[in-house]
Structures are given as C-alpha cells and as structure tokens.
Amino acid sequence: MWNEAGLAGLVLGGVSVAYLALTAITGKVAADNTGLSFLMAGLNLLLWIAKFCACIFLFRHFLKKRSISAPQADNNAIFRFGAAAALLSSLVYSACYLAYFKFFAPDMIEQVLDTLSSNPMMDSNSMEAVNQMMPKMPVYMFFVNFFYC
C-alpha cells in the first residue's frame, strides 16, 4: 500500500509544486512589468483552477486504481490509502515550499518584514518579536503547509 500511496503522493505533490513554480515565474514577470500584472493574476487563477481539477481527477484515479488492484479492500482500506497518499503529497509540497522560500525567494520574507514594520499598529515590542521569528519563518511555513494540505 505504501509504495502505491508514495507514487500517488509524489504525483499529486508534483502537480502542486509545478503550480508553485509557474506562479513564481508569473510573479517575477508581473513584477517586472506592471501592465502585465492583471493578465498574470488571471493566468494564476486559471493555473489554480487547472491544478485543483487535476488534483481531484488524479486523486480519484489513484483511488479507483487501488480499489481495482485490491478487490478485497473495503472502504476503510481505500480511505487509509487515500489518507496516506494525501499525507505524502503534503510532505512533498511542504518540502518544496520550504526549499523555495529558503533558497529561491528569501527576499520575500524581507518584504513581509518591511510591510509589517510600516504598519502603525506594530510597536517596538511587536517588531522585536517578529524579528526573532523571521529566521524560523520557512520552518513555520513548512509545518503550516504540512498540516493545512
């Protein structure tokens, strides 16, 4: 079961990672050209819809394939397979998300820090807490994505 779930998780996570990469590219293009930002937002919406539909289709495909390959499996066994595939998919996506923010877009965390520092509600104590948390932010994002996905 774990081999098939691992393959399903890798494929499902790969679809989400491809979406992450494509939206990162469109974000870089939109940042360089303000005239394209509306067009890129529409493209990102279409990419999200395609990713959503592809993930549902692929997940359904893997569940049906598992139920055909193991005819003795009941609904509980298929559910466990689906849960394992979703867990592994979440692990793949979260690891790639961590790598993206740690190595490819570390400046994005600085942009968040700049945005927070310009907020009039942030006093010096709050900014100190945020500054202490920022180096660990990619790890926090990993776990938030892992449990959210």
Side-chain angles (χ1 to χ4, degrees):
M1 175 186 93
W2 282 100
N3 287 337
E4 290 179 41
L7 177 64
L10 189 61
V11 170
L12 292 168
V15 169
S16 295
V17 169
Y19 168 76
L20 175 67
L22 289 172
T23 56
I25 292 168
T26 59
K28 298 281 185 197
V29 169
D32 294 340
N33 189 343
T34 56
L36 287 177
S37 61
F38 183 73
L39 181 63
M40 290 299 152
L43 179 62
N44 285 344
L45 176 66
L46 291 175
L47 287 172
W48 180 85
I49 291 169
K51 177 194 83 118
F52 184 76
C53 293
C55 284
I56 288 175
F57 173 77
L58 286 170
F59 197 68
R60 182 175 180 263
H61 167 75
F62 286 122
L63 290 176
K64 279 188 167 190
K65 184 178 171 185
R66 175 67 180 168
S67 65
I68 290 170
S69 70
Q72 74 281 4
D74 59 349
N75 285 342
N76 289 335
I78 301 301
F79 177 81
R80 284 192 301 273
F81 169 79
L87 175 77
L88 295 172
S89 169
S90 178
L91 184 62
V92 167
Y93 178 72
S94 297
C96 290
Y97 196 74
L98 171 68
Y100 174 73
F101 277 104
K102 192 81 170 161
F103 303 114
F104 299 113
D107 58 324
M108 196 168 286
I109 294 174
E110 292 298 323
Q111 290 174 356
V112 169
L113 187 60
D114 291 342
T115 303
L116 286 173
S117 65
S118 67
N119 186 345
M121 300 292 286
M122 298 294 283
D123 61 359
S124 61
N125 292 334
S126 300
M127 279 310 296
E128 182 62 32
V130 168
N131 284 331
Q132 289 176 355
M133 186 180 70
M134 278 300 162
K136 299 174 189 163
M137 186 59 78
V139 176
Y140 294 147
M141 288 190 293
F142 170 83
F143 285 108
V144 166
N145 270 317
F146 183 68
F147 290 116
Y148 177 73
C149 290

